[in-house]
Amino acid sequence: MSVVVLVGSQWGDEGKGKVVDILSENFEIVTRYQGGANAGHTVEIGDKKYVLHLIPSGILRENVICVIGNGVVIDPVALLEEIELLEKNNIHVGGRLFISHNAHLIMPYHKLLDSISESGENKIGTTGRGIGPCYIDKYARKGIKIVDLLNRKTLEEKIRENLKEKNNLLRKLYNHDELDAEVIVHQYLEFDKIIDKYIKDVPAYLNNAIEEGKSILLEGAQGALLDVDHGTYPYVTSSSPTSGGACTGSGIPPTKIDSVIGIVKAYTTRVGLGPFPTELLDADGEKLRKIGAEFGATTGRPRRCGWFDAFLVRYSAMINGINTCAVTKLDVLSEFESIKVCVGYEIDGKTVKYFPTDVERLSAAVPIYETLPGWKQDISNCRTYSELPSLTQDYLSFISKQSGIKFNIVGIGPKREQTFFVD
Ligand code: GDP
Ligand code: IMO
Ligand code: MG
């Protein structure tokens, strides 16, 4: 049995949800380790489409236990909505959803501060879910955790203490109305009544499960290039989506991780602001967006689209220690006469050796492209690698070689059956 980390290897939305759903057939536990309801993980089963924001995508398989680790920031409103939606669809979470007592809570003022800061000059293009402000409080050691819900007195004190500072900020800096502590205390005490039964000592639970030989899939949200340390800072999220974050965000030690699986899209997309060297601002970009239905699963924003960036994926593979890889949305390229792949960058006329995460250098990067012929035929009904047209196989071999990763899983459509394993 094994412990596997699954990571987004570009700027998010690579199709992690779909791959987790497929892999979780063979895992007993699926655990989210970072991020929050900024994530939107889509799983299509038959004619049903589920978009999961906080609950691991393994929840759609009834034998799988799902765990939300300490590294996740939890908005109780979003969590309860998600639980309700699943229950409505006859997917029962009772007894198979657990939440770490050490996960931090997103408070109403986090969402408000996120939206205020996005209306100013230093925009990131966030999802507006309060993610950044919540992690700020966590690292400033002022955060309110799930465990605080269990003690009414502590909860009230912490909310009042935090609100003193936030209201000061809202009033003086942003000229905004103050928030009412009573209302928030009442609201979070109500949440507690529902959330209580899911709270667990997650590190103890997961490490015991490993001892018992159980298999665990750690589901990353976002992607490596949105990582607060290794991404295109400041145009990143405020957590650690890369594989290292899986340990701190779950309580599973590095010595217990068996492998890392990277998810890449057959081209590149990004939502929000920040440099994107292979972005296509022309008809080809529009075509990728239209065929790939590239609109945010959380915010509905149009995703920026561009060619596959092998130089970026090679960097991502290094940072994450990717052993195996899934490539998704290959079918979206089927209508292109020719397809470009970025194999490196030039900055100031010089070829660069290492991927530049510094935004100024990355903004100045000019992609070096190789052009490959398109296969111009529908591949969405292929069920094995050998059924793929030879030009599609050539494209896969090329991006695999240029990125330094091996593809074990290929996605040629959003449905479960439109994904196959490569021997
Ligand atoms: P995630 O955040 O990484 O889980 O990805 P999203 O769910 O935000 O976005 C991926 C989108 O692509 C979803 O709408 C999926 O249903 C869809 N998708 C996943 N794999 C494939 C594929 O192989 N082909 C096509 N056409 N769509 C896919
Ligand atoms: P999944 O898990 C794509 C982006 C936002 C913004 C930046 C910071 O579905 O792949 P935040 O709200 O996190 O403070 O926003 O990160 N972002 C994502 N982009 N997929 C996601 O999640 C994302 N989560 C955050 O668009 O640029
Ligand atoms: Mg998504």
Side-chain angles (χ1 to χ4, degrees):
M1 285 300 144
S2 55
V3 182
V4 175
V5 184
L6 179 144
V7 287
S9 309
Q10 291 151 321
W11 274 294
D13 303 327
E14 297 89 351
K16 298 176 290 294
K18 185 188 79 165
V19 180
V20 168
D21 170 60
I22 285 161
L23 295 180
S24 59
E25 191 178 9
N26 296 311
F27 281 85
E28 283 150 293
I29 301 170
V30 180
T31 303
R32 271 279 304 271
Y33 59 86
Q34 46 69 235
N38 49 350
H41 295 180
T42 316
V43 182
E44 286 192 26
I45 304 171
D47 57 1
K48 286 244 164 167
K49 183 168 164 175
Y50 302 91
V51 181
L52 295 146
H53 301 286
L54 272 167
I55 298 178
S57 309
I59 201 75
L60 303 174
R61 301 218 178 240
E62 61 182 3
N63 296 325
V64 173
I65 303 279
C66 286
V67 176
I68 300 180
N70 57 280
V72 177
V73 286
I74 299 176
D75 176 3
V77 181
L79 179 70
L80 297 184
E81 267 175 23
E82 205 162 314
I83 292 175
E84 205 178 308
L85 198 79
L86 287 168
E87 294 282 344
K88 261 193 200 148
N89 282 284
N90 276 326
I91 296 156
H92 303 295
V93 304
R96 59 189 204 95
L97 174 67
F98 300 116
I99 301 173
S100 169
H101 54 290
N102 276 332
H104 279 244
L105 283 162
I106 294 206
M107 307 299 292
Y109 43 82
H110 292 139
K111 289 191 265 191
L112 182 57
L113 290 169
D114 193 358
S115 75
I116 291 176
S117 110
E118 282 294 298
S119 62
E121 276 175 20
N122 297 321
K123 268 192 205 159
I124 302 291
T126 73
T127 58
R129 298 298 188 268
I131 306 295
C134 183
Y135 280 112
I136 290 174
D137 279 355
K138 170 173 173 170
Y139 288 99
R141 294 161 293 179
K142 296 173 186 162
I144 303 179
K145 302 205 281 185
I146 287 281
V147 69
D148 296 324
L149 290 174
L150 301 175
N151 184 329
R152 188 189 178 115
K153 194 163 162 276
T154 315
L155 181 69
E156 286 201 31
E157 273 171 18
K158 285 198 174 184
I159 291 179
R160 286 184 207 289
E161 194 56 37
N162 269 280
L163 258 193
K164 254 193 242 161
E165 184 201 317
K166 305 298 185 228
N167 275 337
N168 210 7
L169 200 69
L170 286 172
R171 189 167 19 88
K172 291 198 180 139
L173 200 64
Y174 301 123
N175 200 19
H176 195 282
D177 289 347
E178 293 192 3
L179 297 180
D180 187 342
E182 293 304 324
V183 173
I184 300 178
V185 168
H186 177 75
Q187 194 186 12
Y188 277 68
L189 286 172
E190 286 300 306
F191 289 142
D192 176 48
K193 289 184 193 153
I194 309 170
I195 291 175
D196 241 18
K197 59 177 177 284
Y198 301 112
I199 305 177
K200 210 172 191 66
D201 183 335
V202 164
Y205 174 74
L206 293 178
N207 282 286
N208 277 338
I210 295 171
E211 285 296 309
E212 288 167 9
K214 293 198 172 131
S215 52
I216 302 176
L217 181 61
L218 290 141
E219 174 178 353
Q222 288 82 51
L225 276 296
L226 287 172
D227 186 283
V228 70
D229 287 284
H230 302 292
T232 50
Y233 190 89
Y235 300 101
V236 292
T237 190
S238 301
S239 68
S240 306
T242 43
S243 55
C247 291
T248 49
S250 68
I252 296 177
T255 45
K256 297 278 164 63
I257 305 284
D258 294 299
S259 69
V260 177
I261 173 161
I263 315 298
V264 296
K265 203 177 267 189
Y267 47 98
T268 315
T269 60
R270 173 166 206 167
V271 204
L273 305 176
F276 179 177
T278 63
E279 180 171 18
L280 290 165
L281 297 166
D282 57 8
D284 280 340
E286 200 51 57
K287 193 167 161 180
L288 282 173
R289 188 174 307 112
K290 192 160 172 259
I291 302 173
E294 294 294 356
F295 294 89
T298 296
T299 58
R301 290 178 291 177
R303 294 174 181 151
R304 299 157 65 191
C305 297
W307 298 122
F308 187 83
D309 189 339
F311 194 51
L312 175 153
V313 173
R314 185 175 276 277
Y315 164 74
S316 180
M318 174 183 81
I319 291 299
N320 284 301
I322 290 175
N323 305 105
T324 59
C325 209
V327 57
T328 62
K329 306 194 90 160
L330 196 56
D331 53 301
V332 175
L333 296 173
S334 293
E335 288 179 31
F336 286 83
E337 203 67 52
S338 61
I339 305 166
K340 286 186 180 175
V341 175
C342 168
V343 296
Y345 298 155
E346 267 185 13
I347 299 177
D348 297 331
K350 288 193 193 118
T351 307
V352 299
K353 206 168 166 190
Y354 299 110
F355 183 83
T357 49
D358 167 62
V359 286
E360 264 181 48
R361 272 173 59 74
L362 193 59
S363 304
V366 179
I368 303 166
Y369 284 118
E370 298 255 348
T371 304
L372 280 79
W375 44 92
K376 295 283 283 174
Q377 70 187 85
D378 182 12
I379 57 168
S380 60
N381 293 318
C382 294
R383 294 294 176 263
T384 59
Y385 182 80
S386 56
E387 283 176 40
L388 290 174
S390 63
L391 286 175
T392 318
Q393 293 184 9
D394 291 348
Y395 180 76
L396 281 182
S397 303
F398 185 77
I399 61 171
S400 157
K401 186 159 169 260
Q402 291 295 331
S403 316
I405 49 173
K406 191 173 170 286
F407 296 120
N408 305 72
I409 300 173
V410 177
I412 36 85
K415 308 265 183 230
R416 273 181 176 169
E417 60 277 15
Q418 288 176 308
T419 306
F420 53 79
F421 289 82
V422 183
D423 299 327

